[in-house]
């Protein structure tokens, strides 16, 4: 039995969770918020989530976990059978994770957590994201899935991260840069959102958000 460790507000946690659900791999969840105790650091040396616990040992970094799951549980397949097709899926995932989401993540303090991002950093991030979105648009097929006709692990990354990129740019930069760059992400997310795995991930994320809001309200003095 695989134990998936992390929390439902993490898009990278949800990326792995979606793969587990799509492949119908038995797993349990352990809520870990990235504490730096030895029990976490022994599994994820940077204290990051997600990570998994297996009978063979522990494994961290979401894309490494996804590729392990695909190799260990090849059916149902979430990657093409040929090496070139598999490489193209990894290429798209790299663009989504590193060149879109990780860049947009610098906007999250102001977009979601009450912080601020300086005007200089906003200008820098806008320029970088416009460039990177144009590059992603050249690679992505959306026919109907991000890599083509087959639903792949790249879709598990895209479904959980593209909305965050769009929302954070709209909230901080005043414009949904994905849509402005020609990425019809809303229709795509609506399509993928019909899958049971996406519905489960979304429902669990919403429940986590509501629980956190309720906890914040309860902690405030009357």
């Amino acid at each position: 039995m695989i134990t998936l460790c992390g929390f439902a507000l993490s898009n990278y946690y949800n990326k792995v969770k979606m793969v587990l659900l799509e492949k119908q791999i038995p797993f349990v969840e352990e809520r870990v918020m990235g504490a730096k105790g030895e029990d976490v650091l022994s599994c994820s040396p940077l204290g990051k989530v997600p990570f998994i616990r297996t009978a063979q040992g522990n494994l961290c970094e979401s894309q490494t976990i996804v590729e392990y799951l695909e190799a260990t549980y090849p059916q149902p397949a979430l990657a093409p059978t040929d090496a070139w097709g598999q490489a193209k899926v990894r290429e798209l995932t790299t663009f989504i994770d590193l060149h879109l989401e990780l860049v947009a993540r610098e906007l999250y303090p102001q977009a979601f957590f009450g912080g601020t991002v300086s005007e200089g950093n906003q200008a820098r991030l806008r320029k970088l994201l416009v460039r990177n979105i144009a590059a992603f648009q050249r690679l992505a097929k959306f026919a109907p899935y991000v890599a083509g006709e087959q639903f792949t692990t790249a879709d598990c990354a895209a479904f959980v991260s593209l909305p965050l990129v769009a929302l954070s740019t709209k909230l901080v930069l005043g414009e949904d840069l994905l849509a402005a760059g020609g990425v019809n992400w809303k229709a795509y997310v609506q399509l993928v959102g019909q899958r049971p795995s996406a519905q489960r991930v979304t429902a669990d994320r919403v429940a986590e958000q509501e629980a956190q809001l309720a906890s914040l309200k309860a902690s405030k003095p009357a």
Side-chain angles (χ1 to χ4, degrees):
M1 178 71 72
I2 290 173
T3 300
L4 174 61
C5 300
F7 57 99
L9 293 182
S10 162
N11 48 320
Y12 292 105
Y13 176 89
N14 288 331
K15 168 184 163 183
V16 174
K17 184 173 176 177
M18 200 165 171
V19 171
L20 287 163
L21 291 167
E22 284 284 336
K23 287 185 164 294
Q24 301 178 33
I25 301 169
F27 71 101
V28 295
E29 297 181 71
E30 180 181 330
R31 194 170 187 274
V32 174
M33 296 293 289
K36 299 300 190 289
E38 182 57 32
D39 57 332
V40 171
L41 295 177
S42 63
C43 303
S44 177
L46 289 175
K48 295 164 54 181
V49 297
F51 59 87
I52 60 172
R53 295 190 175 103
T54 77
Q56 294 172 292
N58 309 308
L59 193 63
C60 63
E61 296 297 333
S62 67
Q63 190 55 28
T64 302
I65 297 169
V66 165
E67 292 179 15
Y68 162 77
L69 294 174
E70 183 64 28
T72 308
Y73 304 90
Q75 296 299 325
L78 294 183
T81 56
D82 63 296
W84 178 257
Q86 293 167 8
K88 294 300 286 184
V89 167
R90 288 195 296 272
E91 179 184 52
L92 274 167
T93 305
T94 298
F95 266 75
I96 293 163
D97 286 353
L98 301 184
H99 302 314
L100 297 184
E101 198 280 339
L102 192 62
V103 178
R105 183 168 286 255
E106 292 190 52
L107 299 171
Y108 293 2
Q110 181 167 326
F112 307 127
F113 303 115
T116 58
V117 178
S118 71
E119 290 185 4
N121 274 334
Q122 288 185 34
R124 175 181 61 84
L125 293 169
R126 174 187 286 274
K127 182 177 180 180
L128 190 54
L129 282 167
V130 167
R131 186 195 72 174
N132 291 2
I133 288 167
F136 170 70
Q137 181 73 330
R138 287 178 177 272
L139 291 174
K141 297 184 181 300
F142 295 110
Y145 299 112
V146 70
E149 295 182 359
Q150 181 185 0
F151 182 90
T152 68
T153 55
D155 292 291
C156 297
F159 178 76
V160 299
S161 287
L162 293 186
L164 288 172
V165 174
L167 182 57
S168 62
T169 57
K170 185 174 183 179
L171 290 173
V172 180
L173 305 178
E175 183 179 22
D176 174 351
L177 293 185
L178 275 180
V183 179
N184 189 8
W185 68 271
K186 290 183 180 179
Y188 166 76
V189 166
Q190 184 176 22
L191 170 70
V192 176
Q194 297 171 14
R195 302 177 75 87
S197 64
Q199 293 173 357
R200 164 76 182 276
V201 163
T202 300
D204 290 351
R205 175 179 55 77
V206 170
E208 176 84 2
Q209 288 174 325
E210 292 175 347
Q212 286 205 4
L213 286 173
S215 178
L216 285 173
K217 289 179 180 179
S219 65
K220 289 181 179 180

